[in-house]
Amino acid sequence: MKKIVLILFLFLPGIAPVLQAQVENAPSEGISDEQLFRTGVRELADDSFGGRKPLTRYEDLTVNYIADKFKTLGLQPVNGSYFQEVPMLSVKTNVKGNVVTMKGKKGAARFRMMDDMVLWTLHAEEKLKVSKAELVFVGFGINAPEYEWNDYEGIDVKGKIAVMLVNDPGFYDDSLFRGKNYMTYYGRWTYKYEEAGRQGAAGALIIHETAAAAYGWSVVRNGRANNILCLNSPTGNKERVSLQGWITGEAAQKLFDVAGKSLDDALAAAKQKGFKSFPLGVTTTIETNNDIRIASSRNVAGVLPGSDLKDEYIVYSAHWDHLGIDAPIDGDSIYNGADDNASGVAALFVIANKFRQLPEPPRRSILFLSVTGEESGLLGSEYYVEHPLFPLVKTVVNLNMDAYGDKLRTSEVRASGGGLSKDIDRYVVEAAAAQGKPARFSTTNPGGGFFRSDHFNFAKAGVPVVLAAGANPLPPKAPEGMLWGGKSAYHQPADEYRESWDVSGSLEDIYLYYGIGLRLANDGYFPKWDDATYKAARDEQK
Ligand SMILES: [Zn+2]
């Protein structure tokens, strides 16, 4: 196998160093890649790190550990520090009486929190009141010029509560947006609240529907039962909608009943091009008392300076945070997050070490970024792209690593987001070929999976991203990921490091990203987007 790979490499000079390193297993100061990887995972996933929850004392332990490691690996601090402060807000919203009443021309309806509706604020305000706000049905709540779709056209929602559908029109009509099997970002709930904020709405309520959301009501409800962690802006998030929420399908029916309007007609109309949003003739007053805490978390950053193109950047990222200490399962209350995502952080160490060992520094600089708050909604990466340490317009690519643990060798490379950037796809094909593997691309995104890790914030800000990993042809020949006793350890205390982990596939995936980053670091090219939304974001960068 290795001989075949070797021959392939002879024709791919840009990636040749990957192979060299791979064959020699790169002992540096007596440490192999595998040892470096295992040590990183073992230590970060140790019980003494308490599951690495942001804003706890375990955060200090974690970010200092990563910064020390970056320093040892020869990475330089940025502006004199390995840390980027990330202002955060922790908020628990308490709706007065746990009930919201809405009045329309056909009477009043009461909605119980959690059962009929969930509501929360991301404002840093202990008391928040939305008085006599009118409700407006805004279809999907989407303003997408590239798809010639604007649900907010000709309607003023300032100070009002916008009620909307989940997903995007393509889910119902293959000729609209990107069709049924590809949820665009416009279909994601986070977009809908952002857009309602830009429109000046006081609130945004999404009507839940299991098929279109890709998850049930319990997921929505449980996600909002406790404190919510979010970024905190200089205004205390006043630019966001005051109240965000979801309402069940049955409760939406009640809402339309008191409005004297047909929910079915509204849903059918909203799915047609040219739909016009309309007021429901319903008002409500909502008061909340909120427990708030303002604090800073940290991203960790270290840079390996390039040579003649050193003001251009390749960004490797991996979130350091996990779920902390919570309800015990089988007597264990520490959610260690070995696979998710001590493994991604350890992969950063391995890749940094490989770049450092090159006989000549790469032409472009390499930024290693370990971000906070991924588990709370991709917060650290969102903050980074809003406050980049180096200009995004000079940021060539983001290679994000999430869940690299316990992985057997694989026979192919599978990539998400195929076609978004044909340039990126070519780099993936080339790097996969260098490992003797075919690359397969998925061009669908039915549940919006593409939006659920940190790479997405880079894409949204216009930076091209790679999302590729080794896989076996389906059905899998060998178990993938962390299956212990046939049970997935995902987001469980059982996501622990074990010496019995097979990391041969983990290392292959690390080398895949190393190969792509190395190629881009030296060939001086800026990969371009083909997708209209991300391309527009790239064009807007300064
Ligand atoms: Zn993760």
Side-chain angles (χ1 to χ4, degrees):
M1 184 68 176
K2 266 189 182 147
K3 264 185 195 145
I4 298 166
V5 175
L6 250 172
I7 293 161
L8 264 171
F9 260 111
L10 297 176
F11 300 101
L12 293 163
I15 302 184
V18 187
L19 176 78
Q20 232 175 10
Q22 207 167 331
V23 171
E24 291 163 13
N25 212 12
S28 158
E29 293 149 26
I31 294 181
S32 71
D33 292 343
E34 178 169 346
Q35 283 171 313
L36 189 56
F37 180 67
R38 283 188 186 273
T39 305
V41 182
R42 186 193 305 114
E43 294 183 348
L44 283 164
D46 191 81
D47 279 357
S48 61
F49 280 76
R52 305 185 307 280
K53 192 175 174 142
L55 309 184
T56 64
R57 67 186 175 90
Y58 300 108
E59 163 165 348
D60 296 339
L61 212 59
T62 305
V63 297
N64 287 326
Y65 174 92
I66 298 168
D68 282 351
K69 206 80 166 186
F70 279 1
K71 195 174 176 189
T72 310
L73 289 164
L75 302 183
Q76 297 183 2
V78 183
N79 307 323
S81 174
Y82 287 104
F83 302 118
Q84 178 182 42
E85 296 279 320
V86 180
M88 282 197 187
L89 168 69
S90 165
V91 54
K92 168 98 170 71
T93 306
N94 305 300
V95 174
K96 204 174 165 190
N98 270 314
V99 168
V100 166
T101 303
M102 296 190 178
K103 290 180 189 138
K105 65 174 181 218
K106 299 279 177 182
R110 285 160 55 84
F111 301 96
R112 283 163 305 150
M113 287 304 111
M114 306 311 272
D115 294 333
D116 302 322
M117 188 187 284
V118 287
L119 274 180
W120 66 94
T121 185
L122 299 183
H123 285 202
E125 289 169 78
E126 283 175 354
K127 285 187 187 300
L128 189 141
K129 187 172 179 181
V130 170
S131 292
K132 293 183 187 148
E134 290 174 40
L135 278 83
V136 181
F137 179 65
V138 296
F140 288 93
I142 290 174
N143 176 12
E146 69 274 40
Y147 296 109
E148 295 172 343
W149 191 286
N150 185 1
D151 288 319
Y152 288 101
E153 197 174 288
I155 191 133
D156 181 9
V157 295
K158 282 191 186 65
K160 300 174 186 172
I161 295 175
V163 180
M164 62 199 72
L165 304 179
V166 68
N167 215 313
D168 69 38
F171 184 74
Y172 300 95
D173 181 342
D174 257 333
S175 72
L176 298 173
F177 284 61
R178 296 195 55 187
K180 183 163 177 67
N181 289 318
Y182 197 99
M183 187 202 277
T184 66
Y185 183 58
Y186 296 108
R188 189 95 169 111
W189 55 275
T190 47
Y191 163 78
K192 293 171 190 286
Y193 299 137
E194 288 164 13
E195 186 60 37
R198 283 189 285 270
Q199 301 287 340
L205 266 183
I206 301 173
I207 301 172
H208 180 259
E209 206 238 306
T210 299
Y215 39 79
W217 179 252
S218 64
V219 171
V220 173
R221 191 188 54 206
N222 297 346
R224 302 296 157 191
N226 293 312
N227 288 25
I228 293 172
L229 203 59
C230 62
L231 294 179
N232 191 24
S233 78
T235 66
N237 292 338
K238 283 209 169 63
E239 58 279 2
R240 300 196 196 220
V241 283
S242 299
L243 290 169
Q244 310 189 347
W246 290 82
I247 179 169
T248 65
E250 298 88 78
Q253 185 67 60
K254 259 168 55 179
L255 167 62
F256 274 71
D257 287 347
V258 296
K261 296 190 189 297
S262 158
L263 175 62
D264 289 343
D265 289 355
L267 299 186
K271 294 164 188 170
Q272 307 294 320
K273 205 163 184 153
F275 162 76
K276 293 267 173 278
S277 295
F278 57 86
L280 289 169
V282 172
T283 59
T284 187
T285 293
I286 303 171
E287 262 186 275
T288 65
N289 291 308
N290 313 306
D291 311 324
I292 64 169
R293 182 182 161 214
I294 291 168
S296 271
S297 184
R298 279 154 289 179
N299 289 334
V300 191
V303 72
L304 187 92
S307 55
D308 63 317
L309 299 176
K310 66 170 176 296
D311 64 344
E312 296 172 2
Y313 295 85
I314 309 293
V315 179
Y316 284 96
S317 57
H319 73 87
W320 59 255
D321 65 298
H322 196 57
L323 306 173
I325 299 170
D326 210 320
I329 296 177
D330 297 333
D332 187 359
S333 60
I334 301 176
Y335 290 64
N336 305 76
D339 179 50
D340 187 10
N341 186 30
S343 67
V345 179
L348 288 179
F349 303 155
V350 174
I351 291 175
N353 194 40
K354 299 195 86 58
F355 272 103
R356 183 181 65 151
Q357 288 167 22
L358 291 171
E360 313 237 309
R363 297 180 65 202
R364 285 169 160 159
S365 297
I366 320 290
L367 174 66
F368 294 88
L369 187 66
S370 188
V371 292
T372 180
E374 191 270 353
E375 305 287 7
S376 309
L378 319 181
L379 304 180
S381 55
E382 181 184 347
Y383 187 80
Y384 181 85
V385 299
E386 285 168 6
H387 306 85
L389 295 170
F390 303 106
L392 291 183
V393 73
K394 297 282 189 186
T395 303
V396 179
V397 70
N398 170 244
L399 295 128
N400 183 62
M401 297 179 290
D402 200 344
Y404 272 54
D406 194 19
K407 186 161 177 179
L408 304 175
R409 226 172 259 285
T410 56
S411 62
E412 63 180 41
V413 166
R414 219 173 287 156
S416 304
L420 296 178
S421 162
K422 288 179 197 134
D423 281 346
I424 290 291
D425 294 352
R426 276 193 290 276
Y427 283 93
V428 172
V429 168
E430 193 180 46
Q435 296 189 327
K437 295 179 183 179
R440 289 208 299 168
F441 293 88
S442 96
T443 51
T444 62
N445 186 35
F450 186 72
F451 311 129
R452 295 186 190 177
S453 190
D454 291 304
H455 66 276
F456 175 63
N457 278 321
F458 284 88
K460 194 179 164 197
V463 176
V465 299
V466 179
L467 197 58
N472 286 310
L474 295 168
K477 285 178 187 159
E480 279 180 52
M482 3 146 250
L483 286 170
W484 290 97
K487 219 167 72 180
S488 170
Y490 176 72
H491 283 196
Q492 310 261 332
D495 181 5
E496 289 179 323
Y497 175 71
R498 290 165 173 83
E499 290 300 331
S500 59
W501 270 19
D502 187 324
V503 299
S504 54
S506 311
L507 288 168
E508 280 185 335
D509 284 1
I510 292 169
Y511 297 141
L512 181 80
Y513 270 27
Y514 172 60
I516 295 170
L518 179 62
R519 182 72 173 210
L520 277 162
N522 284 330
D523 73 5
Y525 185 67
F526 277 88
K528 293 180 178 50
W529 287 105
D530 290 287
D531 177 89
T533 307
Y534 302 126
K535 187 176 184 302
R538 186 61 148 173
D539 292 343
E540 276 170 28
Q541 287 173 353
K542 285 171 204 98

